[in-house]
């Protein structure tokens, strides 16, 4: 076999050459240090509503907008527009906050 040929056990699951052995050590927080300053956008969505333009134009100060969630139901937490968790609204020193109650794994992002 030539130097350019790979044996079957040297291929990864996609048929690409596998990563070199020994590069799979445990990762620590220090390994992520280069991305600590990358900004992310976090949104806590209390609920949603669908309105026509005419209904939207009728809203004014004091109008009540009914959302699709019930009191006490979990809210959705998005990071960069991707659902990552569900949580509850809490009050922290006279400010609203969110506590995460459930982390959403990949594939579980039912919106």
């Amino acid at each position: 076999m030539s130097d350019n040929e790979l044996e079957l056990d040297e291929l990864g699951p996609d048929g690409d050459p596998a990563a070199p052995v020994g590069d799979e050590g445990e990762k620590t927080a220090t390994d992520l240090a280069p991305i600590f300053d990358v900004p992310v956008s976090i949104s806590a969505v209390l609920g949603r509503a669908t309105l026509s333009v005419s209904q939207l134009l009728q809203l004014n100060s004091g109008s009540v907008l009914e959302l699709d969630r019930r009191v006490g139901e979990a809210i959705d937490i998005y990071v960069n527009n991707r659902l990552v968790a569900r949580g509850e609204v809490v009050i922290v020193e006279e400010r609203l906050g969110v506590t995460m109650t459930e982390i959403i794994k990949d594939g579980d992002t039912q919106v």
Side-chain angles (χ1 to χ4, degrees):
M1 175 166 66
S2 71
D3 290 337
N4 293 339
E5 293 179 17
L6 294 172
E7 292 198 20
L8 188 57
D9 62 349
E10 294 175 352
L11 296 177
D14 299 333
D16 295 331
V21 177
D23 286 351
E24 299 175 12
E26 286 189 31
K27 302 290 182 187
T28 63
T30 341
D31 296 327
L32 297 175
I35 63 167
F36 283 169
D37 292 331
V38 174
V40 295
S41 172
I42 299 175
S43 303
V45 179
L46 297 172
R48 299 181 190 277
T50 303
L51 302 173
S52 66
V53 173
S54 63
Q55 290 171 316
L56 180 64
L57 292 173
Q58 291 174 5
L59 295 177
N60 54 41
S61 181
S63 293
V64 175
L65 184 61
E66 188 174 335
L67 303 176
D68 63 350
R69 301 275 172 100
R70 297 193 185 284
V71 173
E73 193 173 340
I75 63 169
D76 294 333
I77 301 168
Y78 290 85
V79 175
N80 290 343
N81 296 320
R82 181 178 183 163
L83 180 64
V84 296
R86 292 205 170 85
E88 297 175 352
V89 176
V90 295
I91 297 175
V92 181
E93 297 178 14
E94 297 184 22
R95 294 181 154 223
L96 290 178
V98 176
T99 181
M100 287 190 273
T101 57
E102 174 188 1
I103 303 297
I104 306 296
K105 298 177 184 145
D106 286 342
D108 290 346
T109 54
Q110 305 141 350
V111 178

